Amino acid sequence: VEDQGGEGLMLRHPTAPHRGGRSADLLKVKSARDDEALVIGHEAGKGKHAGRLGALLCRLRSGVTFKVGTGFSNAQRESPPPVGAVITFRYFELTQAHVPRFPAFHRIRPDVQWDV
């Protein structure tokens, strides 16, 4: 499906009738990728995250910089990964500029060394 330009598959419960719009009877399944990035900064949170982490500023090995602002627990927002840490993040695809689309924090990688 993805090789033909599709985003993923929609799976419907076998006994559910067809309905337009969103439904608990439908599940969208699409691939996710992951990669590692170096934390190069922190962006302050706004709104409900004021006074805590809003997003991590990150750099890929290719030099591309981007922000990761979702996937964190409240505890991780209170005590975010430090600058210099390596993280694993998940994303759906790369943009034409090779920036991860919809990156989400997954974990800190203390076992990975970043060669600057």
Side-chain angles (χ1 to χ4, degrees):
V1 172
E2 291 173 341
D3 290 342
Q4 296 175 4
E7 190 176 289
L9 296 173
M10 297 297 293
L11 304 177
R12 182 179 56 85
H13 189 279
T15 61
H18 175 75
R19 287 183 260 208
R22 295 182 183 258
S23 165
D25 297 326
L26 281 175
L27 174 65
K28 186 175 192 175
V29 178
K30 51 187 185 175
S31 295
R33 295 163 176 79
D34 67 17
D35 201 353
E36 276 77 41
L38 180 67
V39 177
I40 59 172
H42 298 122
E43 186 173 276
K46 300 175 185 173
K48 71 178 183 176
H49 297 304
R52 304 187 304 170
L53 175 71
L56 294 176
L57 306 176
C58 298
R59 184 173 59 231
L60 295 174
R61 291 189 189 277
S62 66
V64 171
T65 59
F66 64 103
K67 296 178 185 177
V68 177
T70 191
F72 304 102
S73 67
N74 286 332
Q76 289 166 327
R77 287 193 184 276
E78 293 291 338
S79 181
V83 171
V86 177
I87 64 162
T88 297
F89 66 96
R90 293 185 177 166
Y91 65 100
F92 289 113
E93 63 185 350
L94 294 174
T95 66
Q96 289 184 354
H98 304 286
V99 177
R101 188 180 309 275
F102 307 122
F105 176 78
H106 180 59
R107 63 181 172 158
I108 298 173
R109 291 294 306 267
D111 59 317
V112 175
Q113 296 298 313
W114 197 269
D115 298 325
V116 180

